[in-house]
Amino acid sequence: MSNSVHVYDARTDHATVTAESPLAYSFQRSGMPAPGDASGEESRAVIGERAFLGHLILRGGAIVLDEALREVLGIGLPGRPNSLTVDADGQRSVQWLSPDEWLLIVPGDETFGLETRLRAHLGGAHVAIVDVSAGQTLIELSGEAAHEVLMKSTVYDVDPHTFTVGKGVTTLFAKTSVILRRPDASRWELIVRRSFADYVYRWLLDAGEEYGIGVARESRHEPQ
Amino acid sequence: MFHIYCPYCEELREEEEFHPKGQAHIARPEEPDTCSDEEWGDYLFFRDNPRGIHHEMWLHAVGCRKFFNITRNTVSYEILETYKMGEQPTITAEHLAREEKNAREEKTNNAQVAEGGQQTVGASDAAVASVKGAQA
């Protein structure tokens, strides 16, 4: 029964607690080399955290979830394995994770409303929606050497011709697991577990050193 | 380092992403309360250890996190096919033995045609290569 599910707004926007991104400590301790800083040359790889997004895991039958998502959000579930659907303005995305599991990422302040509306629309359907926003974070990787940084880190074939736009996989990355995806031609996204975020960040700084890797300061989606 | 075809992800993935999880197709006794101790003991503890074709469960641990089945040759380590849970293998030890027997009979029937030194496993190799998920 859907009315036995307790749904909480996990955002701290209106609370007195300051929200810190999973990488806040890493930025302080390991530093944030600015793009183009190191050698005075252009950085060939740039990373940046997009913190405080809303991450929802949807589990259940593809047909019922697809219908609800189209109704509520206007985008459908990706039908093929290892694929990714992004909405028109690039702010919301759904990714195939397994035959009955999808990852929905939306701007942080929409998470609770969306979850509530999805639940209302799904009624008593046999599905699960879990808010995992606090458990993982999204790191963006761009620049001409971006895929070279990835090639040093993962066994998956990240050749831009093979790993086309709209593809997303869960794979091994620097001995941990990561969700790697390509929402558009200019950038890659890595979704890492919060507890591994510092490790992945430091790995990327190290792997990207030869490309003069820089860290872009985030300007979007940060709660006050 | 080799690739395994995941029937759920529908692509070849690095072996590191997978975990072996033991023998597949073990049927739980339908009436655990009334079955004999021997039957229950066999179900819980006894596993096959064949030389040759073996059906195993594997887990795509870093990936879709689904269990699936692999038919593997324990002598050559060759993976003959992978298939989803709930499906039956198309390649079995009996199937290969029958093919080998047919090939042998064919060879004796056409003794004039068959080339000397032709190996009887040739026929099964051809069948294997055509199966989805076959490995080089």
Side-chain angles (χ1 to χ4, degrees):
Chain A
M1 295 298 288
S2 58
N3 60 1
S4 64
V5 178
H6 297 284
V7 184
Y8 300 98
D9 186 356
R11 304 270 301 169
T12 54
D13 301 21
H14 37 259
T16 51
V17 187
T18 319
E20 293 225 311
S21 88
L23 282 179
Y25 176 65
S26 312
F27 290 149
Q28 276 187 16
R29 200 182 65 165
S30 309
M32 295 175 80
D37 211 18
S39 52
E41 289 170 26
E42 195 74 8
S43 290
R44 295 181 61 216
V46 177
I47 55 172
E49 185 190 15
R50 286 187 61 198
F52 308 114
L53 296 178
H55 300 235
L56 292 175
I57 292 285
L58 310 179
R59 298 206 67 167
I63 295 168
V64 58
L65 280 173
D66 182 59
E67 194 192 323
L69 207 60
R70 275 176 203 281
E71 197 72 32
V72 172
L73 203 61
I75 51 176
L77 286 185
R80 300 294 309 153
N82 305 313
S83 57
L84 170 74
T85 312
V86 185
D87 80 341
D89 63 358
Q91 296 292 305
R92 295 155 201 88
S93 63
V94 203
Q95 185 185 347
W96 184 98
L97 291 185
S98 94
D100 57 0
E101 183 174 359
W102 292 266
L103 173 65
L104 175 59
I105 297 188
V106 294
D109 51 5
E110 291 179 13
T111 323
F112 182 63
L114 177 65
E115 184 180 350
T116 316
R117 274 181 290 138
L118 270 177
R119 283 189 188 284
H121 198 276
L122 285 162
H126 185 63
V127 296
I129 303 175
V130 186
D131 184 348
V132 293
S133 313
Q136 53 197 29
T137 191
L138 193 150
I139 299 174
E140 267 183 359
L141 174 64
S142 57
E144 55 178 288
H147 77 276
E148 290 178 52
V149 176
L150 293 173
M151 280 160 72
K152 293 170 76 173
S153 317
T154 177
V155 288
Y156 198 82
D157 184 2
V158 291
D159 187 304
H161 301 291
T162 322
F163 203 120
T164 48
V165 172
K167 188 167 178 153
V169 298
T170 312
T171 189
L172 284 166
F173 185 93
K175 296 184 187 177
T176 179
S177 70
V178 77
I179 297 171
L180 178 65
R181 45 199 236 158
R182 210 165 161 221
D184 59 55
S186 66
R187 65 200 168 94
W188 302 75
E189 289 180 347
L190 285 82
I191 294 152
V192 296
R193 289 187 190 282
R194 185 182 195 110
S195 51
F196 280 87
D198 177 61
Y199 167 72
V200 172
Y201 177 69
R202 286 188 288 140
W203 174 285
L204 285 170
L205 285 190
D206 188 42
E209 201 177 3
E210 62 176 297
Y211 311 109
I213 198 164
V215 182
R217 263 76 176 167
E218 187 181 45
S219 55
R220 299 170 288 180
H221 312 302
E222 204 152 0
Q224 297 306 308
Chain B
M1 304 285 272
F2 61 97
H3 288 102
I4 295 174
Y5 185 89
C6 172
Y8 293 102
C9 292
E10 296 177 12
E11 62 181 15
L12 292 162
R13 292 295 195 88
E14 194 71 29
E15 176 244 350
E16 280 179 82
E17 294 185 5
F18 298 88
H19 282 308
K21 290 287 183 179
Q23 187 182 339
H25 306 301
I26 299 171
R28 188 173 194 266
E30 288 196 2
E31 299 287 345
D33 293 337
T34 54
C35 78
S36 67
D37 284 354
E38 194 181 348
E39 209 178 324
W40 189 248
D42 278 354
Y43 163 68
L44 282 185
F45 303 115
F46 285 81
R47 297 293 179 261
D48 295 340
N49 184 20
R51 184 179 189 281
I53 305 301
H54 194 211
H55 305 291
E56 296 167 342
M57 282 194 297
W58 283 62
L59 175 66
H60 193 185
V62 186
C64 61
R65 283 164 286 127
K66 292 288 176 198
F67 278 85
F68 62 97
N69 299 305
I70 281 183
T71 302
R72 195 173 65 91
N73 188 322
T74 59
V75 179
S76 64
Y77 298 142
E78 184 181 13
I79 293 172
L80 303 178
E81 67 169 335
T82 61
Y83 50 102
K84 293 179 182 177
M85 295 307 285
E87 292 178 359
Q88 290 301 312
T90 58
I91 299 173
T92 59
E94 296 77 45
H95 166 88
L96 287 183
R98 198 163 54 239
E99 268 196 0
E100 199 170 322
K101 186 162 162 274
N102 288 347
R104 208 178 304 125
E105 276 168 9
E106 193 127 308
K107 200 179 163 193
T108 39
N109 291 345
N110 308 311
Q112 305 272 329
V113 188
E115 289 173 25
Q118 186 184 6
Q119 293 190 348
T120 50
V121 289
S124 54
D125 276 354
V128 163
S130 69
V131 173
K132 185 175 74 172
Q135 299 299 300

